[in-house]
Amino acid sequence: MGKVIGAIAMSHIMFPPDGIEEQAERVLQGMLEIRRRVRALNPDLIILAGADHLNNFTLAMQVTLAIGIADSFETLGDGGVPVSRFPGDRAFAEAFARFAAHHDYELVQVEEMRPDHGTAFPKLVLDPGNAIPTVPLYINAAMPVPPSPRRCYRLGEVLHRFVEEERPEGERVLVVGTGGLSHWLRMPGEGQIADAFDKEVIDAIITGQAEKLAELSSEEIVAASGNGGLEMIAWLFAAGALPGARGEEIYYEAVPAWITGMGAIEIRADR
Amino acid sequence: MTRAPYRIHKLIQDMMRDPAAAARFATDPQPIFDQYEISPEEAALLDSGSMEAMTGLGVHPNLQMKYLRLRHSGGDGAKLVGAGPLDAYLDRLLER
């Protein structure tokens, strides 16, 4: 059997430091701390879950849950992330799609796409040399009808079972959920940061209570933390991959200049 | 929440996939508005650029941002690559 060796949840963008140099540096140091922890965990494979921003999946065909099955992916280059190519893992991705279908989840299998900043920025943070095969999993919070928080958490549980039941002995899998935290993007409320709610999200997950958090509806999360805040459903997926495990905050910063709450946590397999 | 008529969303999505059309749209939008049957009232609300007006029309938040880029990036709105928001951090992010 394989093992989910840890999970990370993290914001997936940064903006220029102009005027907030010290705070931006703290955010950057948080990102570099994530990188150090990934190196210490030494994963064989990363499952990187997050949202596309209507760059690959549009309103023409409103895909909510999808998995990248290609051998490699060239990133889109948006958000200031340099274009690069990283290896996927076709065997893992196709086998997980089949396993998930036996456990109530039909994941759209994607051969052709160019991951946008929601995947490419965290990939740069986690693995700057593109050395670790990484399977992109899409939890498209920006779709008009997004997947429910509960199903995102439970999909993480399905991934946990898949790794334990079907993957080779000794395989080390890191699960990462990206996006958030609170931000209101081009909707009434733009400019707010719900730092109290963001801290509730962080505290719930690092104390092993993500399943309870996942009882909130999408609408309740949007009301509490904005349409961008709903990206935390990918954090719930990451938490579901280590059900009940505890973790710790890596950093949190409410950044008014970027109109967003920025944060990251590590969930530890040994807690 | 209101959802914009699909022809508005389709216009934005199509321009993002067609750099030549996006370049025309940046400088002379009316033929494109006509092609997608965008009324003068809708065009005025879109080009106001305000969140309130575009949200009132029901334009998806991500597509609002793409629309603004299409209209105000000198014809390069469909290009998402370029000098960007991470420049101050890239040396350390790329470990170079």
Side-chain angles (χ1 to χ4, degrees), chain A residues 183-200:
Chain A
H183 56 291
W184 279 255
L185 175 73
R186 298 294 294 184
M187 70 176 286
E190 190 169 55
Q192 295 179 69
I193 299 175
D195 50 342
F197 182 80
D198 289 344
K199 287 172 183 168
E200 285 177 25

Side-chain angles (χ1 to χ4, degrees), chain A residues 44-158:
Chain A
D44 297 317
L45 180 77
I46 298 172
I47 307 302
L48 181 45
D52 180 75
H53 300 80
L54 273 65
N55 289 312
N56 292 281
F57 308 99
T58 71
L59 300 184
M61 189 179 295
Q62 299 177 15
V63 173
T64 50
L65 296 173
I67 188 166
I69 59 171
D71 296 315
S72 67
F73 299 92
E74 185 178 70
T75 61
L76 182 62
D78 68 318
V81 189
V83 174
S84 72
R85 181 172 285 277
F86 65 84
D89 189 324
R90 177 178 298 278
F92 185 103
E94 290 183 349
F96 179 54
R98 184 167 294 278
F99 186 91
H102 289 304
H103 294 82
D104 305 332
Y105 288 85
E106 296 75 31
L107 302 176
V108 172
Q109 297 184 73
V110 184
E111 289 278 5
E112 297 187 39
M113 64 168 167
R114 294 190 62 186
D116 71 14
H117 69 272
T119 300
F121 178 80
K123 176 64 179 165
L124 174 60
V125 170
L126 299 163
D127 176 30
N130 284 331
I132 307 170
T134 297
V135 173
L137 193 141
Y138 282 93
I139 296 177
N140 284 328
M143 283 299 155
V145 183
S148 79
R150 182 180 289 120
R151 272 177 62 76
C152 295
Y153 179 84
R154 289 191 178 158
L155 182 59
E157 292 184 323
V158 172

Side-chain angles (χ1 to χ4, degrees), chain B residues 21-33:
Chain B
R24 293 196 301 276
F25 184 58
T27 53
D28 182 18
Q30 193 56 50
I32 305 278
F33 284 143

Side-chain angles (χ1 to χ4, degrees), chain A residues 218-232:
Chain A
S218 302
E219 290 79 7
E220 287 170 323
I221 295 171
V222 171
S225 65
N227 51 351
L230 184 59
E231 290 174 341
M232 66 76 110

Side-chain angles (χ1 to χ4, degrees), chain A residues 171-184:
Chain A
E171 184 174 71
R172 301 169 61 79
V173 178
L174 175 67
V175 182
V176 181
T178 84
L181 287 165
S182 63
H183 56 291
W184 279 255

